[in-house]
Amino acid sequence: MKETLVPLANNHISVDCVVVGFDGKHLKVLLIRRDGEENGEAYHDMKLPGSLIYQDEDLDEAARRVLFELTGLKNVDLMQFKAFGSKGRTKNPKDVHWLERAQSAKVERIVTIAYWAAVKISRSLELDVAGFQAQWVALDDIPSLAFDHNQIIQEAVKYICHYVEVDLMALFNLLPRKFTAAQLRVLYNLLRGKNIDARNFHKKMSQMEYVIPLEEKEQKVSHRAARLYRFDRVLYKKDRK
């Protein structure tokens, strides 16, 4: 039988991926389940998709590999946003023991390079990630995570909010292909950190030539069906020039 070679990992550098989605009401982050044992007792908690990098891959390759292996996601635009190297990152023995068992190697201080991505949450996507013990968790419902992953998520959301101030593309990447004005306003308010009333927002939205009104309305809703819109990337890029 041919022996399978396991790539050598760098025990000092890792990547972690903050994948953000929007379900129409809440911002959510994709987390994976972590199973382990400490002091003879099994435990289950959650963490970001992440891993030590392999010696033969660069950081971007590692991030894409991690995301695919742990969540099944591929062809996702990942953006590097910050490095985390606090000496307290591995202060919890449980985290160190879990990582050493997972990597079959001694692990000491680790610097992680964090990436973020904005994706559309669809029914098919939810089913895909569920097969990897991954799930979408609303920002307000995120429990205490492994390592410093709560801090990484906080920094990622802060970064995305600033990023949207410069480039609205990330905002539209979170919306369905066809969306309502209410969905756009709720997401806009969440990312801008302030509420703009519906009337003023509709006025602002009417000035966005790249938001195209459709001759379609919502289907199968219990409330009055709202008009649908779509985002035109070509017009948006032209407008930015």
Side-chain angles (χ1 to χ4, degrees), residues 8-120:
L8 292 175
N10 186 311
N11 289 354
H12 303 287
I13 305 173
S14 67
V15 292
D16 286 297
C17 303
V18 183
V19 182
V20 178
F22 176 64
D23 67 356
K25 294 181 179 179
H26 307 285
L27 284 174
K28 292 188 170 184
V29 174
L30 190 60
L31 299 175
I32 63 171
R33 172 170 160 161
R34 181 178 75 161
D35 298 322
E37 182 178 312
E38 191 70 12
N39 298 323
E41 294 186 5
Y43 66 83
H44 312 286
D45 56 12
M46 306 191 82
K47 64 186 289 290
L48 288 169
S51 168
L52 296 174
I53 69 168
Y54 295 152
Q55 296 283 19
D56 62 349
E57 64 185 355
D58 63 27
L59 291 171
D60 290 352
E61 289 173 338
R64 290 192 293 268
R65 170 183 60 81
V66 162
L67 203 58
F68 178 69
E69 289 181 352
L70 298 181
T71 71
L73 293 180
K74 56 184 178 179
N75 300 323
V76 173
D77 291 328
L78 287 161
M79 182 177 295
Q80 188 181 129
F81 72 93
K82 191 172 182 177
F84 294 81
S86 166
K87 61 181 179 291
R89 292 199 70 241
T90 52
K91 66 181 180 181
N92 189 334
K94 183 174 78 171
D95 292 333
V96 176
H97 296 161
W98 175 84
L99 192 53
E100 288 182 341
R101 284 192 291 266
Q103 299 296 328
S104 299
K106 181 70 176 176
V107 174
E108 297 178 354
R109 184 170 178 177
I110 303 172
V111 172
T112 195
I113 310 302
Y115 287 77
W116 71 272
V119 302
K120 305 180 193 302

Side-chain angles (χ1 to χ4, degrees), residues 22 118 120 160 163-164 167-175 183-184 187-189 191-192:
F22 176 64
K120 305 180 193 302
I160 295 169
Y163 187 87
V164 168
D167 188 352
L168 286 175
M169 184 73 78
L171 184 148
F172 290 101
N173 284 343
L174 289 164
L175 288 166
Q183 288 175 322
L184 178 56
L187 180 57
Y188 186 86
N189 287 341
L191 292 177
R192 296 295 293 271

Side-chain angles (χ1 to χ4, degrees), residues 18 20 26-29 137-143 153-154 157:
V18 183
V20 178
H26 307 285
L27 284 174
K28 292 188 170 184
V29 174
V137 180
L139 282 179
D140 293 339
D141 297 330
I142 293 176
I153 291 172
Q154 291 174 3
V157 173

Side-chain angles (χ1 to χ4, degrees), residues 168-230:
L168 286 175
M169 184 73 78
L171 184 148
F172 290 101
N173 284 343
L174 289 164
L175 288 166
R177 189 171 61 86
K178 297 177 183 179
F179 53 87
T180 66
Q183 288 175 322
L184 178 56
R185 179 168 58 86
V186 169
L187 180 57
Y188 186 86
N189 287 341
L190 286 171
L191 292 177
R192 296 295 293 271
K194 55 186 178 183
N195 290 324
I196 179 171
D197 66 72
R199 182 176 298 179
N200 287 335
F201 183 77
H202 275 280
K203 182 178 179 180
K204 183 179 183 67
M205 186 173 161
S206 67
Q207 298 170 349
M208 300 177 179
E209 296 182 357
Y210 41 83
V211 176
I212 312 299
L214 302 174
E215 295 302 323
E216 300 179 47
K217 291 188 176 182
E218 292 177 291
Q219 300 291 324
K220 299 178 181 179
V221 292
S222 57
H223 53 80
R224 181 180 178 182
R227 188 173 196 171
L228 294 173
Y229 297 79
R230 71 173 179 85

